[in-house]
Amino acid sequence: MGIFKSHTIYSIVFFLLLANVSWCQNIAPVLTATGNQAYCPKSQINIVTDFNITDLDDTDIDALYIQISTGYDVGNDLLILSGSYPSIFTPCPWSPLEGKLTLKGIGGLKVSYVDLMSAVKDILFQSTSNNPSDKTFSITIGDANYLPSTGHY
């Protein structure tokens, strides 16, 4: 009788562990952006014409990173968050070494996808160069740098 009870307990524990593993898997968000646009030298232009985050199991995130991943010209190129976003701050308003802008929540809080989608639509690119090269922007939820030439982070 004691062996049967132990076996039943193990079965329940195994089932609970298995159920817990399947319920805890996080589904990664999908980020989509559009905005293949012409740029006039020394002006400002939004980096996207539309941006969306789709996530089946979350509504917020720790941080979002926007980087000039192709054609970055150190000292001439800049990304700027325009507008007012009370729940978002940029801890390093601009990282000139990486060509990256970081958006995080105030006080270490997570930022809602709704706020991030609006903020990304208000990010501006500008260059002081008279002949800027073509640019590609990477928008990621991790802080790894994306390299379009290899398709890897």
Side-chain angles (χ1 to χ4, degrees), residues 47 64-72 78-79 94-102 123 125 135-140 142-148 152-153:
I47 64 164
L64 188 118
Y65 305 87
I66 302 93
Q67 182 175 26
I68 304 170
S69 52
T70 301
Y72 177 53
L78 180 64
L79 294 175
W94 168 247
S95 173
L97 292 176
E98 299 175 294
K100 185 188 287 188
L101 180 70
T102 301
I123 293 175
F125 166 79
K135 311 291 178 192
T136 302
F137 303 95
S138 298
I139 303 170
T140 61
D143 63 355
N145 296 330
Y146 178 70
L147 302 171
H152 297 283
Y153 292 87

Side-chain angles (χ1 to χ4, degrees), residues 9 21 23 37 40 71 75 113 123 128 132:
I9 290 171
V21 168
W23 289 334
Q37 310 168 72
C40 295
Y113 288 147
I123 293 175
T128 58

Side-chain angles (χ1 to χ4, degrees), residues 5-48:
K5 286 183 180 179
S6 295
H7 184 266
T8 303
I9 290 171
Y10 288 134
S11 296
I12 291 171
V13 169
F14 177 73
F15 172 74
L16 290 176
L17 287 174
L18 202 66
N20 190 28
V21 168
S22 66
W23 289 334
C24 291
Q25 291 180 355
N26 187 31
I27 300 169
V30 175
L31 287 64
T32 54
T34 56
N36 190 8
Q37 310 168 72
Y39 175 71
C40 295
K42 297 188 176 187
S43 68
Q44 292 183 340
I45 189 170
N46 294 82
I47 64 164
V48 298

Side-chain angles (χ1 to χ4, degrees), residues 119-140:
V120 169
K121 292 176 188 176
D122 280 344
I123 293 175
L124 301 172
F125 166 79
Q126 83 176 37
S127 177
T128 58
S129 172
N130 288 323
N131 297 309
S133 61
D134 289 344
K135 311 291 178 192
T136 302
F137 303 95
S138 298
I139 303 170
T140 61

